[in-house]
Amino acid sequence: MKQPLKVIISGGGTGGHIFPALSIANALKSLQSDVEILFIGAEGRMEMKRVPAAGYEIKGLPIAGFDRQHLLKNIGLPLKMWKSNQIVKHILKDFGPHVVVGVGGYASFPTLAAASTMGIPCLIQEQNSFAGKTNKMLGHKVAKICVAYEGMERFFPAKKIMLTGNPVRQQLAECKLSRAEAIEKLGFDPIRPVVLIIGGSLGARTINESVMAHLHLIGESKVQFIWQTGSYYFESIKRQLSKEGCPPNLKVTDFINRMDEAYRAADIVISRAGASSISELCLLGKPSILVPSPNVAEDHQTHNAMALVKRDAALLVRDSDARVQLLPLAVTTAKDDATLRRLGQNALAMALPDSARIIAEEVIKLGEK
């Protein structure tokens, strides 16, 4: 009797790493129902809650990244790395994976480094157009590198690269509502344009400040806005709005549970330029104004955004310019049907659907070698 495929998926730290990891796991389950999957993450990071909530087992490593702002906090890093290496070796020996998948994040490096040393085939899923340091260091050790953007030969050996796109939350493309129905469910007028503003689950300070600075413009614009402030900023924004007044065409929430309906309602989206967000925008063919976060390693969000801007698939406003430029540009663009149509069509042309399934098939191939 054939032994079930055993796969370890390692990484996390942000939703941008966790959502693709879970999508790959789900795709593996759909292709081989008896596959055994174990996650390895970093203790104290969001994967330690999100992964079990999705029905998968996860082991945590006592690892952390280099803190550039608080250098004294890095004193314990060598010990944490050593401990993580020892734990990973025990996990690999006990679980006996046929393949190890890395999706980026603190836990990926010790896991894939140990696995490759032990002769276990490894696959990297690189979400960004500018590869992270961990994945660049691992590129020569692994068997396959699945990427979302062209031109990644400048970071990885060309013969190992496969253009697959980024796995996204598939339910986003399965919304049953029409645009008009989604807008009416929000209590808005389906005849008027809708702008969706998202800054991630925690929020984006610059984007939020840009909205607060233009409440008068929003109120006069005849454009409707759905604004996800993020949980971190929600209470303070509510207090500000209670003093200054909230325009009736601005719907404010800390978190959007039905992102599929919010996307369906939106004519244009204001967003950071994380890899998962961009992949979702392309999959859905959504026009967007991207505001890359300046607080990410190697400014990879600007690289992500420029990949779309160069193809006329998105507009870009730099973080430093957002407080002045972002909302006026959103109001103008939301009323420009020709620009919306062009941006949306070009974004859709960049989409790479079925990414999770394609990556899962590559994982299975590696496990059968």
Side-chain angles (χ1 to χ4, degrees), residues 262-300:
Y263 273 130
R264 182 58 57 89
D267 294 292
I268 187 167
V269 180
I270 292 173
S271 175
R272 287 300 199 189
S276 291
S277 297
I278 284 183
S279 295
E280 291 173 358
L281 293 167
C282 290
L283 180 70
L284 300 173
K286 284 293 170 184
S288 61
I289 302 174
L290 301 174
V291 187
S293 171
N295 305 313
V296 294
E298 300 177 89
D299 197 26
H300 68 249

mmCIF file of all heavy atoms in Angstrom, residues 262-300:
data_model
loop_
_atom_site.group_PDB
_atom_site.id
_atom_site.type_symbol
_atom_site.label_atom_id
_atom_site.label_comp_id
_atom_site.label_asym_id
_atom_site.label_seq_id
_atom_site.Cartn_x
_atom_site.Cartn_y
_atom_site.Cartn_z
ATOM 1 N N ALA A 262 -17.495 43.152 -0.674
ATOM 2 C CA ALA A 262 -16.910 44.500 -0.732
ATOM 3 C C ALA A 262 -16.197 44.719 -2.066
ATOM 4 O O ALA A 262 -16.333 45.778 -2.690
ATOM 5 C CB ALA A 262 -15.937 44.695 0.426
ATOM 6 N N TYR A 263 -15.424 43.727 -2.494
ATOM 7 C CA TYR A 263 -14.762 43.827 -3.797
ATOM 8 C C TYR A 263 -15.783 43.935 -4.927
ATOM 9 O O TYR A 263 -15.592 44.688 -5.885
ATOM 10 C CB TYR A 263 -13.870 42.609 -4.035
ATOM 11 C CG TYR A 263 -12.468 42.715 -3.485
ATOM 12 C CD1 TYR A 263 -11.928 41.696 -2.693
ATOM 13 C CD2 TYR A 263 -11.652 43.800 -3.786
ATOM 14 C CE1 TYR A 263 -10.635 41.766 -2.203
ATOM 15 C CE2 TYR A 263 -10.353 43.886 -3.301
ATOM 16 C CZ TYR A 263 -9.850 42.866 -2.510
ATOM 17 O OH TYR A 263 -8.568 42.940 -2.035
ATOM 18 N N ARG A 264 -16.851 43.135 -4.848
ATOM 19 C CA ARG A 264 -17.861 43.160 -5.907
ATOM 20 C C ARG A 264 -18.504 44.533 -6.013
ATOM 21 O O ARG A 264 -18.800 45.020 -7.104
ATOM 22 C CB ARG A 264 -18.911 42.075 -5.636
ATOM 23 C CG ARG A 264 -20.011 41.964 -6.707
ATOM 24 C CD ARG A 264 -19.456 41.689 -8.104
ATOM 25 N NE ARG A 264 -18.645 40.489 -8.142
ATOM 26 C CZ ARG A 264 -19.116 39.259 -8.380
ATOM 27 N NH1 ARG A 264 -20.404 39.083 -8.581
ATOM 28 N NH2 ARG A 264 -18.306 38.227 -8.439
ATOM 29 N N ALA A 265 -18.715 45.184 -4.873
ATOM 30 C CA ALA A 265 -19.352 46.506 -4.877
ATOM 31 C C ALA A 265 -18.428 47.603 -5.404
ATOM 32 O O ALA A 265 -18.890 48.591 -5.979
ATOM 33 C CB ALA A 265 -19.810 46.867 -3.461
ATOM 34 N N ALA A 266 -17.120 47.421 -5.221
ATOM 35 C CA ALA A 266 -16.162 48.507 -5.486
ATOM 36 C C ALA A 266 -15.905 48.731 -6.971
ATOM 37 O O ALA A 266 -15.715 47.779 -7.733
ATOM 38 C CB ALA A 266 -14.844 48.204 -4.780
ATOM 39 N N ASP A 267 -15.868 49.994 -7.354
ATOM 40 C CA ASP A 267 -15.451 50.364 -8.708
ATOM 41 C C ASP A 267 -13.942 50.581 -8.759
ATOM 42 O O ASP A 267 -13.326 50.413 -9.815
ATOM 43 C CB ASP A 267 -16.172 51.637 -9.145
ATOM 44 C CG ASP A 267 -17.666 51.408 -9.280
ATOM 45 O OD1 ASP A 267 -18.059 50.665 -10.195
ATOM 46 O OD2 ASP A 267 -18.425 51.947 -8.454
ATOM 47 N N ILE A 268 -13.364 50.985 -7.635
ATOM 48 C CA ILE A 268 -11.908 51.161 -7.534
ATOM 49 C C ILE A 268 -11.512 50.912 -6.083
ATOM 50 O O ILE A 268 -12.290 51.171 -5.161
ATOM 51 C CB ILE A 268 -11.461 52.559 -8.016
ATOM 52 C CG1 ILE A 268 -9.929 52.661 -8.057
ATOM 53 C CG2 ILE A 268 -12.080 53.661 -7.170
ATOM 54 C CD1 ILE A 268 -9.424 53.894 -8.813
ATOM 55 N N VAL A 269 -10.296 50.420 -5.881
ATOM 56 C CA VAL A 269 -9.818 50.040 -4.557
ATOM 57 C C VAL A 269 -8.562 50.828 -4.220
ATOM 58 O O VAL A 269 -7.643 50.931 -5.039
ATOM 59 C CB VAL A 269 -9.502 48.531 -4.492
ATOM 60 C CG1 VAL A 269 -9.003 48.142 -3.097
ATOM 61 C CG2 VAL A 269 -10.730 47.706 -4.871
ATOM 62 N N ILE A 270 -8.528 51.387 -3.014
ATOM 63 C CA ILE A 270 -7.304 51.990 -2.468
ATOM 64 C C ILE A 270 -6.698 50.962 -1.530
ATOM 65 O O ILE A 270 -7.368 50.459 -0.627
ATOM 66 C CB ILE A 270 -7.605 53.284 -1.701
ATOM 67 C CG1 ILE A 270 -8.084 54.384 -2.659
ATOM 68 C CG2 ILE A 270 -6.372 53.758 -0.932
ATOM 69 C CD1 ILE A 270 -8.560 55.640 -1.958
ATOM 70 N N SER A 271 -5.423 50.635 -1.732
ATOM 71 C CA SER A 271 -4.816 49.552 -0.954
ATOM 72 C C SER A 271 -3.315 49.747 -0.821
ATOM 73 O O SER A 271 -2.680 50.436 -1.631
ATOM 74 C CB SER A 271 -5.094 48.211 -1.653
ATOM 75 O OG SER A 271 -4.442 47.138 -1.006
ATOM 76 N N ARG A 272 -2.745 49.140 0.216
ATOM 77 C CA ARG A 272 -1.310 48.932 0.257
ATOM 78 C C ARG A 272 -0.947 47.973 -0.883
ATOM 79 O O ARG A 272 -1.829 47.445 -1.571
ATOM 80 C CB ARG A 272 -0.888 48.350 1.607
ATOM 81 C CG ARG A 272 -0.927 49.321 2.777
ATOM 82 C CD ARG A 272 -0.039 50.513 2.587
ATOM 83 N NE ARG A 272 0.277 51.212 3.843
ATOM 84 C CZ ARG A 272 0.888 52.377 3.890
ATOM 85 N NH1 ARG A 272 1.226 52.995 2.763
ATOM 86 N NH2 ARG A 272 1.171 52.954 5.054
ATOM 87 N N ALA A 273 0.334 47.721 -1.060
ATOM 88 C CA ALA A 273 0.779 46.933 -2.210
ATOM 89 C C ALA A 273 1.416 45.622 -1.792
ATOM 90 O O ALA A 273 2.421 45.181 -2.368
ATOM 91 C CB ALA A 273 1.740 47.752 -3.073
ATOM 92 N N GLY A 274 0.832 44.986 -0.770
ATOM 93 C CA GLY A 274 1.280 43.655 -0.407
ATOM 94 C C GLY A 274 0.990 42.664 -1.519
ATOM 95 O O GLY A 274 0.064 42.854 -2.314
ATOM 96 N N ALA A 275 1.769 41.605 -1.571
ATOM 97 C CA ALA A 275 1.658 40.646 -2.674
ATOM 98 C C ALA A 275 0.271 40.020 -2.758
ATOM 99 O O ALA A 275 -0.289 39.877 -3.852
ATOM 100 C CB ALA A 275 2.722 39.553 -2.516
ATOM 101 N N SER A 276 -0.298 39.634 -1.624
ATOM 102 C CA SER A 276 -1.617 38.998 -1.642
ATOM 103 C C SER A 276 -2.690 39.972 -2.127
ATOM 104 O O SER A 276 -3.560 39.596 -2.922
ATOM 105 C CB SER A 276 -1.985 38.480 -0.252
ATOM 106 O OG SER A 276 -1.172 37.387 0.105
ATOM 107 N N SER A 277 -2.623 41.208 -1.668
ATOM 108 C CA SER A 277 -3.606 42.213 -2.094
ATOM 109 C C SER A 277 -3.540 42.428 -3.598
ATOM 110 O O SER A 277 -4.577 42.479 -4.280
ATOM 111 C CB SER A 277 -3.360 43.544 -1.372
ATOM 112 O OG SER A 277 -3.536 43.396 0.016
ATOM 113 N N ILE A 278 -2.351 42.547 -4.131
ATOM 114 C CA ILE A 278 -2.199 42.770 -5.565
ATOM 115 C C ILE A 278 -2.703 41.572 -6.356
ATOM 116 O O ILE A 278 -3.370 41.721 -7.389
ATOM 117 C CB ILE A 278 -0.726 43.085 -5.900
ATOM 118 C CG1 ILE A 278 -0.411 44.523 -5.481
ATOM 119 C CG2 ILE A 278 -0.435 42.888 -7.380
ATOM 120 C CD1 ILE A 278 0.980 44.982 -5.808
ATOM 121 N N SER A 279 -2.422 40.376 -5.890
ATOM 122 C CA SER A 279 -2.896 39.174 -6.582
ATOM 123 C C SER A 279 -4.417 39.131 -6.594
ATOM 124 O O SER A 279 -5.027 38.734 -7.598
ATOM 125 C CB SER A 279 -2.332 37.921 -5.919
ATOM 126 O OG SER A 279 -0.929 37.883 -6.069
ATOM 127 N N GLU A 280 -5.049 39.531 -5.495
ATOM 128 C CA GLU A 280 -6.511 39.563 -5.434
ATOM 129 C C GLU A 280 -7.074 40.594 -6.408
ATOM 130 O O GLU A 280 -8.051 40.323 -7.118
ATOM 131 C CB GLU A 280 -6.970 39.870 -4.011
ATOM 132 C CG GLU A 280 -6.688 38.738 -3.032
ATOM 133 C CD GLU A 280 -6.974 39.079 -1.585
ATOM 134 O OE1 GLU A 280 -7.363 40.235 -1.302
ATOM 135 O OE2 GLU A 280 -6.819 38.178 -0.733
ATOM 136 N N LEU A 281 -6.461 41.763 -6.453
ATOM 137 C CA LEU A 281 -6.920 42.809 -7.363
ATOM 138 C C LEU A 281 -6.835 42.363 -8.816
ATOM 139 O O LEU A 281 -7.732 42.625 -9.617
ATOM 140 C CB LEU A 281 -6.108 44.084 -7.149
ATOM 141 C CG LEU A 281 -6.303 44.792 -5.805
ATOM 142 C CD1 LEU A 281 -5.225 45.847 -5.598
ATOM 143 C CD2 LEU A 281 -7.696 45.410 -5.712
ATOM 144 N N CYS A 282 -5.757 41.673 -9.166
ATOM 145 C CA CYS A 282 -5.591 41.182 -10.536
ATOM 146 C C CYS A 282 -6.599 40.082 -10.847
ATOM 147 O O CYS A 282 -7.222 40.077 -11.916
ATOM 148 C CB CYS A 282 -4.170 40.676 -10.753
ATOM 149 S SG CYS A 282 -2.907 41.960 -10.787
ATOM 150 N N LEU A 283 -6.762 39.138 -9.923
ATOM 151 C CA LEU A 283 -7.699 38.038 -10.135
ATOM 152 C C LEU A 283 -9.110 38.554 -10.389
ATOM 153 O O LEU A 283 -9.848 38.020 -11.227
ATOM 154 C CB LEU A 283 -7.693 37.109 -8.919
ATOM 155 C CG LEU A 283 -8.640 35.899 -8.985
ATOM 156 C CD1 LEU A 283 -8.140 34.896 -10.015
ATOM 157 C CD2 LEU A 283 -8.774 35.231 -7.630
ATOM 158 N N LEU A 284 -9.489 39.625 -9.680
ATOM 159 C CA LEU A 284 -10.840 40.178 -9.795
ATOM 160 C C LEU A 284 -10.937 41.270 -10.858
ATOM 161 O O LEU A 284 -12.029 41.777 -11.128
ATOM 162 C CB LEU A 284 -11.280 40.740 -8.443
ATOM 163 C CG LEU A 284 -11.328 39.725 -7.295
ATOM 164 C CD1 LEU A 284 -11.602 40.433 -5.980
ATOM 165 C CD2 LEU A 284 -12.367 38.651 -7.551
ATOM 166 N N GLY A 285 -9.798 41.651 -11.449
ATOM 167 C CA GLY A 285 -9.806 42.704 -12.460
ATOM 168 C C GLY A 285 -10.243 44.049 -11.905
ATOM 169 O O GLY A 285 -10.989 44.797 -12.551
ATOM 170 N N LYS A 286 -9.751 44.386 -10.693
ATOM 171 C CA LYS A 286 -10.173 45.615 -10.036
ATOM 172 C C LYS A 286 -9.195 46.763 -10.287
ATOM 173 O O LYS A 286 -7.983 46.623 -10.041
ATOM 174 C CB LYS A 286 -10.297 45.394 -8.523
ATOM 175 C CG LYS A 286 -11.536 44.620 -8.120
ATOM 176 C CD LYS A 286 -12.796 45.424 -8.396
ATOM 177 C CE LYS A 286 -14.048 44.609 -8.230
ATOM 178 N NZ LYS A 286 -15.268 45.375 -8.585
ATOM 179 N N PRO A 287 -9.675 47.913 -10.747
ATOM 180 C CA PRO A 287 -8.817 49.105 -10.793
ATOM 181 C C PRO A 287 -8.389 49.457 -9.372
ATOM 182 O O PRO A 287 -9.145 49.252 -8.419
ATOM 183 C CB PRO A 287 -9.739 50.186 -11.358
ATOM 184 C CG PRO A 287 -10.916 49.460 -11.934
ATOM 185 C CD PRO A 287 -11.051 48.190 -11.176
ATOM 186 N N SER A 288 -7.185 49.993 -9.239
ATOM 187 C CA SER A 288 -6.708 50.296 -7.888
ATOM 188 C C SER A 288 -5.774 51.492 -7.875
ATOM 189 O O SER A 288 -5.140 51.827 -8.884
ATOM 190 C CB SER A 288 -5.981 49.085 -7.286
ATOM 191 O OG SER A 288 -4.846 48.736 -8.059
ATOM 192 N N ILE A 289 -5.723 52.112 -6.693
ATOM 193 C CA ILE A 289 -4.692 53.107 -6.386
ATOM 194 C C ILE A 289 -3.864 52.492 -5.272
ATOM 195 O O ILE A 289 -4.366 52.245 -4.178
ATOM 196 C CB ILE A 289 -5.289 54.444 -5.938
ATOM 197 C CG1 ILE A 289 -6.226 55.007 -7.009
ATOM 198 C CG2 ILE A 289 -4.171 55.447 -5.636
ATOM 199 C CD1 ILE A 289 -6.974 56.267 -6.579
ATOM 200 N N LEU A 290 -2.614 52.224 -5.541
ATOM 201 C CA LEU A 290 -1.738 51.540 -4.597
ATOM 202 C C LEU A 290 -0.879 52.552 -3.842
ATOM 203 O O LEU A 290 -0.311 53.465 -4.445
ATOM 204 C CB LEU A 290 -0.858 50.529 -5.330
ATOM 205 C CG LEU A 290 -1.625 49.436 -6.107
ATOM 206 C CD1 LEU A 290 -0.650 48.592 -6.919
ATOM 207 C CD2 LEU A 290 -2.447 48.568 -5.165
ATOM 208 N N VAL A 291 -0.807 52.355 -2.526
ATOM 209 C CA VAL A 291 0.008 53.207 -1.664
ATOM 210 C C VAL A 291 1.001 52.286 -0.955
ATOM 211 O O VAL A 291 0.718 51.777 0.130
ATOM 212 C CB VAL A 291 -0.855 53.967 -0.632
ATOM 213 C CG1 VAL A 291 0.008 54.965 0.139
ATOM 214 C CG2 VAL A 291 -2.029 54.664 -1.301
ATOM 215 N N PRO A 292 2.169 52.041 -1.549
ATOM 216 C CA PRO A 292 3.125 51.098 -0.953
ATOM 217 C C PRO A 292 3.556 51.522 0.443
ATOM 218 O O PRO A 292 3.835 52.692 0.688
ATOM 219 C CB PRO A 292 4.309 51.132 -1.925
ATOM 220 C CG PRO A 292 3.740 51.634 -3.211
ATOM 221 C CD PRO A 292 2.651 52.589 -2.824
ATOM 222 N N SER A 293 3.602 50.556 1.334
ATOM 223 C CA SER A 293 4.086 50.844 2.687
ATOM 224 C C SER A 293 5.590 51.079 2.657
ATOM 225 O O SER A 293 6.332 50.301 2.055
ATOM 226 C CB SER A 293 3.772 49.675 3.618
ATOM 227 O OG SER A 293 4.411 49.857 4.866
ATOM 228 N N PRO A 294 6.068 52.129 3.323
ATOM 229 C CA PRO A 294 7.512 52.369 3.382
ATOM 230 C C PRO A 294 8.185 51.555 4.484
ATOM 231 O O PRO A 294 9.403 51.584 4.620
ATOM 232 C CB PRO A 294 7.601 53.860 3.688
ATOM 233 C CG PRO A 294 6.381 54.134 4.506
ATOM 234 C CD PRO A 294 5.309 53.201 3.996
ATOM 235 N N ASN A 295 7.389 50.827 5.259
ATOM 236 C CA ASN A 295 7.910 50.144 6.450
ATOM 237 C C ASN A 295 8.101 48.648 6.234
ATOM 238 O O ASN A 295 7.861 47.853 7.135
ATOM 239 C CB ASN A 295 6.953 50.373 7.630
ATOM 240 C CG ASN A 295 6.697 51.845 7.881
ATOM 241 O OD1 ASN A 295 7.627 52.640 7.922
ATOM 242 N ND2 ASN A 295 5.440 52.216 8.032
ATOM 243 N N VAL A 296 8.511 48.254 5.024
ATOM 244 C CA VAL A 296 8.718 46.841 4.737
ATOM 245 C C VAL A 296 10.143 46.627 4.231
ATOM 246 O O VAL A 296 10.788 47.553 3.720
ATOM 247 C CB VAL A 296 7.703 46.318 3.691
ATOM 248 C CG1 VAL A 296 6.296 46.350 4.246
ATOM 249 C CG2 VAL A 296 7.785 47.130 2.395
ATOM 250 N N ALA A 297 10.617 45.409 4.367
ATOM 251 C CA ALA A 297 11.999 45.096 3.997
ATOM 252 C C ALA A 297 12.247 45.361 2.523
ATOM 253 O O ALA A 297 11.463 44.966 1.662
ATOM 254 C CB ALA A 297 12.289 43.625 4.320
ATOM 255 N N GLU A 298 13.340 46.065 2.246
ATOM 256 C CA GLU A 298 13.827 46.307 0.884
ATOM 257 C C GLU A 298 12.783 46.961 -0.020
ATOM 258 O O GLU A 298 12.821 46.833 -1.226
ATOM 259 C CB GLU A 298 14.320 44.990 0.261
ATOM 260 C CG GLU A 298 15.460 44.363 1.066
ATOM 261 C CD GLU A 298 15.910 43.033 0.515
ATOM 262 O OE1 GLU A 298 16.793 43.030 -0.347
ATOM 263 O OE2 GLU A 298 15.390 41.996 0.965
ATOM 264 N N ASP A 299 11.829 47.686 0.619
ATOM 265 C CA ASP A 299 10.817 48.445 -0.122
ATOM 266 C C ASP A 299 10.107 47.577 -1.164
ATOM 267 O O ASP A 299 9.771 48.030 -2.255
ATOM 268 C CB ASP A 299 11.481 49.654 -0.804
ATOM 269 C CG ASP A 299 10.463 50.705 -1.242
ATOM 270 O OD1 ASP A 299 9.380 50.782 -0.630
ATOM 271 O OD2 ASP A 299 10.740 51.428 -2.214
ATOM 272 N N HIS A 300 9.818 46.320 -0.792
ATOM 273 C CA HIS A 300 9.276 45.404 -1.803
ATOM 274 C C HIS A 300 7.871 45.781 -2.259
ATOM 275 O O HIS A 300 7.468 45.432 -3.373
ATOM 276 C CB HIS A 300 9.323 43.953 -1.321
ATOM 277 C CG HIS A 300 8.412 43.627 -0.182
ATOM 278 N ND1 HIS A 300 8.878 43.331 1.080
ATOM 279 C CD2 HIS A 300 7.069 43.526 -0.103
ATOM 280 C CE1 HIS A 300 7.848 43.072 1.873
ATOM 281 N NE2 HIS A 300 6.758 43.181 1.179
#
